[in-house]
Amino acid sequence: MSGARTLCAAALLAALPALAEERRFALVVGDAKGGVGTRPLRYAERDARRMHAILTRLGGVRPEDARLLTAASADEVRVALADLAARADQAKARGEETVLVVYYSGHAKEGELRLGDTRMPLVELRDALRNAPADVRIGLLDSCQSGAITRPKGIRAAPAFDVQQAQAASTRPRGLVLIASSSADEESQESDEIGASFFTHYLASGLLGDADASGDGKVTLAEAYAYAYARTVGETAETRAGAQHPVYLYDLGGAGDVVLTELAPSRGAMVFPSAAEGVYVVLDGSRRAVAEVAKARGDQRRLALAPGDYVVKKREGDSLLIGSFSLSDGPVEIADARLARRPLSEDPQKGATGPRWSLLGTGGGQFFFDSAARNGLFPPAALVGAELGVRDDLGHDLAWAIDLSVGGGAATLRLPGVTPIPERFFETTGGASLWRDFAVGEAWTLSLGVRVAFLYLSRTFQNHSELPDQSFFTITPGVTTALSWRFASRWSAVARGRVNYLFYNVDKAQNLGYAELALGVDYALGF
Amino acid sequence: MRLGSSPVLLLLCACGNLSNEDVAFLEAIPQKQQLHVAIPQGSTSQNLCTNGAADVYASAKSTGTSINAGVDDIVALVDAIRKVTPTTRDVDSRTWGPFPDKDHAGVFIQVVMSRELDASRTPWRFIYTISAARPPGAYLPILEGEFFGAQASNGIGRITLHFENSTALGINKPTDPTFPARIFYDLSGDPRTISLDLTAGVNAFGLISFDYSWAGYADGHGQFDYAFPDAKSGCTDEVTTFFNAQGAGRDVFRARCGSLLYGDVKQCWDAGGCLTFVDDPFGFTPACLGLPCILGTLAQCPAGI
């Protein structure tokens, strides 16, 4: 850092109020559904959770002062907003400086936020913010045509605010700032590559530290906006929908800027040293992008990430630099020398797309629907197995897998007039599956698909040496479904069900069906 | 269905021998041990016998062993199909073969088994035939079996061996008789009875022409009727023996010497194979030294048989 830059940062540091001196409130709303005429958004609720986590971890918002609403109605939003406004009013009465942040990710159309089948006019939200008793009110809207909220004052699709330098600590900013992800006639775009909307992704990346242009360890509103604006416009320029331009309404009195996140107190951080140069993408354990760092040589960047396991990658020419890092309490330096060089074909992709391998271990049972078939021929069996799956390989949310299970059990064969014959049977089954994943909230996924399997079954008759061993082999088509819950970055609990068709033709031609139910644990592999 | 080499056939394949009905058919076929004459072997200690050794008991055991060996040979023919998957399956029948007989070049073997069910779909009768042929000659039955019940271990059946046909086809053994031999068995109650009908000819399985029969009770005691040639006298001794589970027993035998019939000679013996009582009016018993004699007392005979 140059000397002039250091002086500037020191001056700003003196001018900016620390987060701890303020009481901050946050309403974070994410809604994937916009009612009739809209398609569900893939990442709106994830975006909301991401912002909620950042604001409560780095943004000075106490957990009890934050509200996270997903799939909520307009009335629920109104109630939550009124509640926070009342709390801000109480804090203000106690002499505290107050900041109210409202973030919304979802559908907006024709001047209204669309919360499921309910509506909330943008004007209503703007007026609610304008009239809220907090000293500073900030509205962050990531939705199509959200720029309409800035209309009365005139939009500014400028790359940065004109922030007046603080002259004294007493001239703290007061007023309203509205930032929208797109102008009034633009669509806000989501990206399957990064697994988020463009705007929120870059806003979040900025708040985590990459927007800290001053290097003072604080990300201000102006820095965050400038960063999100530049990255959003730049990254959407080549998309089919065209460039997306964030806009803002800036109506702050006083001087200085509003600090949105403070990086220093956070536990653990990735530090990109001054020698580092280029765009670094940080992925979490599920290979979703959680932040980006676009830096030039000479700067040092600090990303205040939550403790956990991350993968950092950087494209460099025809190759990829990639490495895995574990964050705990201390800073971890991300130098190129610590990244392994790999071919681009091994790129885990920027975000949720690209092949993601996983290994699933299961235990369960198999049950034939036909009671006659269950009599010795295909008795209920216990099975343990493993499945190697690849997600997002054949297309977004499409996955395929190969699996193998072994099992068996004991049963009794009952034939008319014959003393019951005990038997033991052994079974091996394996197959290939193709399915589609449907995200149900942030951690839950429902899968539906098809499977073709082989089944080999053999049985021996205990204490009946006169009876030869028997076996059966066939190919069985079927359908498969699973519900998985991700409880850690790489781990998921899975409940899986399959229904298969089996053609049996030894004694007589029979069309049989059977179900396989299993519980298992899925581990996302690192490639 | 046989597995084809084509991948397409593999995809369509549902193959194997997993069959409850096959089990039902196989359960109707008697096993060797189920048709064995079971003579208690008695004590293995070498006792010094006051009245001499029970020679009839010893001959009963050896005769039983001979019969069991003959039965094993017969049942082995049927047993062979247990290891082979049926060639065709119909609702109430199974067919194995025709297969080339690996022991006799140019001979083909075929097994057909059918069953009849009662109103409750329970099998009440099985019929099976093993046939052999030297093409272009016709198939001749070499074994026929009929069984009443659903499970051989507790049903009634007969097996007829057509040695005359196996002889005609040239697939017989040198020791085989040349006339039909029949086994009858009733394993449905107590006693379980097995009889071997060799009355149609002579010297089958090294046994003389006789209707050998054995009855075994659940508590271990039994009865065994048989005949054996007495080389010393040149007569045929026809014996009816009774055993308890420990091997002690009694017998009554008659000696048929040409047109003359001598009887009854009575003996009892203990589990060690020593005579405890002899009532031999003809002096056939070695301990009588060729003279009519009574040795021991009747009270020394085992009770309850």
Side-chain angles (χ1 to χ4, degrees):
Chain A
M1 189 179 288
S2 68
R5 182 93 186 245
T6 307
L7 283 174
C8 180
L12 278 172
L13 212 57
L16 295 174
L19 297 182
E21 298 172 6
E22 296 174 335
R23 188 72 180 268
R24 295 185 161 221
F25 302 89
L27 172 61
V28 180
V29 181
D31 200 327
K33 295 178 181 175
V36 178
T38 64
R39 293 176 58 190
L41 297 168
R42 293 184 189 282
Y43 309 111
E45 293 183 6
R46 177 175 184 254
D47 286 346
R49 288 191 174 86
R50 203 169 158 192
M51 289 299 296
H52 176 265
I54 290 172
L55 290 172
T56 52
R57 194 166 60 84
L58 304 173
V61 180
R62 300 175 189 171
E64 65 270 24
D65 292 336
R67 300 286 183 274
L68 172 64
L69 301 179
T70 56
S73 67
D75 281 344
E76 289 172 310
V77 172
R78 290 184 183 103
V79 169
L81 184 56
D83 174 51
L84 290 177
R87 291 168 67 90
D89 195 27
Q90 292 167 2
K92 195 173 179 181
R94 292 192 295 270
E96 295 176 276
E97 293 285 325
T98 53
V99 176
L100 173 62
V101 180
V102 175
Y103 169 88
Y104 171 80
S105 179
H107 280 286
K109 201 172 181 182
E110 298 167 352
E112 294 178 318
L113 300 182
R114 307 190 117 193
L115 295 135
D117 292 326
T118 62
R119 305 286 182 268
M120 183 174 191
L122 286 169
V123 173
E124 178 187 344
L125 175 61
R126 185 192 64 217
D127 291 346
L129 279 168
R130 185 184 301 283
N131 299 325
D135 296 312
V136 177
R137 288 87 65 196
I138 301 169
L140 303 168
L141 273 65
D142 190 352
S143 60
C144 294
Q145 304 171 12
S146 52
I149 197 171
T150 63
R151 235 174 216 158
K153 282 276 188 179
I155 61 169
R156 296 199 61 182
F161 299 153
D162 296 324
V163 181
Q164 297 191 4
Q165 290 298 313
Q167 301 300 312
S170 61
T171 59
R172 283 180 165 172
R174 280 175 167 65
L176 173 68
V177 176
L178 298 174
I179 295 176
S181 61
S182 58
S183 64
D185 54 0
E186 284 180 346
E187 302 298 312
S188 287
Q189 302 169 47
E190 290 188 320
S191 168
D192 287 339
E193 277 198 341
I194 56 180
S197 77
F198 282 103
F199 175 75
T200 295
H201 175 66
Y202 292 115
L203 179 62
S205 296
L207 293 176
L208 286 170
D210 200 31
D212 184 20
S214 64
D216 61 356
K218 298 176 182 177
V219 178
T220 67
L221 187 59
E223 287 175 326
Y225 174 77
Y227 179 87
Y229 179 91
R231 297 302 308 276
T232 302
V233 172
E235 294 297 327
T236 56
E238 301 294 323
T239 63
R240 193 163 43 187
Q244 172 185 331
H245 298 85
V247 297
Y248 71 84
L249 181 153
Y250 188 87
D251 187 16
L252 281 184
D257 201 353
V258 178
V259 175
L260 285 182
T261 56
E262 199 163 341
L263 312 180
S266 69
R267 291 176 61 209
M270 284 186 180
V271 177
F272 295 80
S274 57
E277 182 179 21
V279 177
Y280 297 82
V281 180
V282 182
L283 312 175
D284 65 9
S286 62
R287 297 298 183 267
R288 291 173 183 268
V290 292
E292 285 192 22
V293 172
K295 74 179 291 296
R297 184 181 293 272
D299 285 341
Q300 187 189 66
R301 282 284 190 279
R302 175 190 177 91
L303 275 187
L305 295 166
D309 294 328
Y310 297 93
V311 171
V312 177
K313 69 157 200 168
K314 181 178 93 168
R315 291 197 177 202
E316 192 171 78
D318 292 334
S319 60
L320 183 76
L321 295 178
I322 189 166
S324 297
F325 299 90
S326 183
L327 284 189
S328 54
D329 289 336
V332 174
E333 185 180 80
I334 310 297
D336 286 2
R338 299 186 66 187
L339 304 177
R341 188 172 295 277
R342 299 270 180 79
L344 280 179
S345 59
E346 296 183 18
D347 188 348
Q349 295 297 316
K350 190 170 72 172
T353 59
R356 290 180 292 124
W357 293 74
S358 62
L359 186 62
L360 171 66
T362 59
Q366 182 189 72
F367 183 83
F368 273 69
F369 301 128
D370 183 76
S371 60
R374 288 198 301 273
N375 174 27
L377 211 54
F378 299 103
L383 292 171
V384 295
E387 180 179 274
L388 183 64
V390 190
R391 288 180 168 79
D392 295 329
D393 183 26
L394 304 175
H396 181 70
D397 284 341
L398 286 178
W400 62 271
I402 54 173
D403 63 85
L404 185 69
S405 297
V406 296
T412 300
L413 172 59
R414 300 179 191 281
L415 298 170
V418 176
T419 306
I421 302 171
E423 65 177 52
R424 285 196 177 279
F425 61 97
F426 169 79
E427 183 176 331
T428 303
T429 182
S433 308
L434 174 68
W435 72 83
R436 184 179 180 88
D437 287 329
F438 300 91
V440 184
E442 179 68 13
W444 293 86
T445 302
L446 177 68
S447 305
L448 294 172
V450 295
R451 175 172 178 260
V452 176
F454 77 85
L455 183 146
Y456 172 80
L457 188 146
S458 66
R459 65 175 175 179
T460 57
F461 300 96
Q462 296 172 280
N463 306 320
H464 283 262
S465 57
E466 80 281 7
L467 296 175
D469 295 350
Q470 295 184 338
S471 62
F472 183 72
F473 176 88
T474 193
I475 302 290
T476 75
V479 295
T480 179
T481 184
L483 183 64
S484 64
W485 170 59
R486 188 159 63 86
F487 59 85
S489 61
R490 286 173 178 261
W491 296 92
S492 298
V494 179
R496 187 184 64 202
R498 294 170 176 158
V499 175
N500 276 59
Y501 163 81
L502 184 144
F503 177 62
Y504 172 78
N505 64 346
V506 180
D507 282 333
K508 60 181 179 181
Q510 277 184 285
N511 298 307
L512 300 173
Y514 65 92
E516 290 179 358
L517 302 174
L519 296 174
V521 177
D522 185 89
Y523 178 73
L525 300 171
F527 52 90
Chain B
M1 186 182 294
R2 293 191 179 281
L3 196 65
S5 58
S6 160
V8 176
L9 282 178
L10 179 65
L11 284 175
L12 297 175
C13 176
C15 48
N17 64 346
L18 186 72
S19 165
N20 287 349
E21 296 303 324
D22 283 3
V23 172
F25 276 93
L26 294 178
E27 278 296 284
I29 299 173
Q31 301 168 56
K32 293 176 183 176
Q33 66 273 17
Q34 290 169 342
L35 302 186
H36 275 181
V37 171
I39 308 294
Q41 294 303 299
S43 171
T44 56
S45 62
Q46 300 297 315
N47 296 329
L48 188 61
C49 299
T50 306
N51 297 320
D55 53 334
V56 173
Y57 176 42
S59 81
K61 289 194 281 190
S62 64
T63 302
T65 302
S66 297
I67 289 178
N68 289 344
V71 167
D72 286 355
D73 282 346
I74 294 169
V75 178
L77 289 171
V78 190
D79 251 355
I81 65 172
R82 296 183 192 279
K83 300 168 185 163
V84 184
T85 299
T87 308
T88 58
R89 294 179 175 92
D90 292 317
V91 175
D92 290 316
S93 72
R94 293 289 186 274
T95 301
W96 291 262
F99 301 121
D101 183 350
K102 65 180 189 313
D103 295 326
H104 303 96
V107 175
F108 286 82
I109 305 286
Q110 183 179 45
V111 182
V112 177
M113 190 171 185
S114 61
R115 69 180 177 185
E116 294 173 26
L117 309 179
D118 63 16
S120 67
R121 303 289 300 167
T122 302
W124 69 273
R125 183 183 186 215
F126 287 87
I127 298 172
Y128 46 96
T129 305
I130 300 177
S131 304
R134 282 188 185 275
Y139 277 89
L140 299 173
I142 57 173
L143 184 148
E144 289 180 292
E146 184 178 25
F147 172 71
F148 296 92
Q151 193 169 26
S153 60
N154 54 19
I156 301 169
R158 68 166 180 84
I159 297 173
T160 302
L161 266 166
H162 290 280
F163 289 112
E164 74 281 14
N165 289 336
S166 56
T167 302
L169 290 165
I171 57 175
N172 60 316
K173 294 177 183 173
T175 56
D176 284 348
T178 56
F179 52 87
R182 297 178 182 86
I183 299 174
F184 300 93
Y185 56 95
D186 182 353
L187 309 179
S188 63
D190 193 22
R192 299 155 76 89
T193 62
I194 300 164
S195 62
L196 180 63
D197 178 8
L198 294 175
T199 54
V202 294
N203 296 329
F205 307 124
L207 303 170
I208 65 170
S209 172
F210 193 72
D211 189 0
Y212 295 79
S213 65
W214 177 83
Y217 291 82
D219 65 2
H221 83 277
Q223 175 180 345
F224 183 31
D225 299 341
Y226 65 99
F228 67 95
D230 186 335
K232 197 186 304 181
S233 64
C235 300
T236 296
D237 295 342
E238 297 174 0
V239 186
T240 298
T241 60
F242 303 88
F243 304 88
N244 65 17
Q246 290 73 42
R250 65 183 175 87
D251 73 72
V252 176
F253 77 82
R254 300 182 179 89
R256 191 180 296 279
C257 304
S259 59
L260 297 176
L261 179 65
Y262 300 91
D264 290 339
V265 175
K266 299 172 185 171
Q267 294 181 343
C268 295
W269 62 88
D270 60 18
C274 293
L275 289 170
T276 56
F277 172 72
V278 176
D279 179 0
D280 183 353
F282 308 103
F284 293 148
T285 305
C288 291
L289 303 174
L291 297 173
C293 72
I294 294 177
L295 302 174
T297 63
L298 196 58
Q300 291 175 288
C301 291
I305 56 173

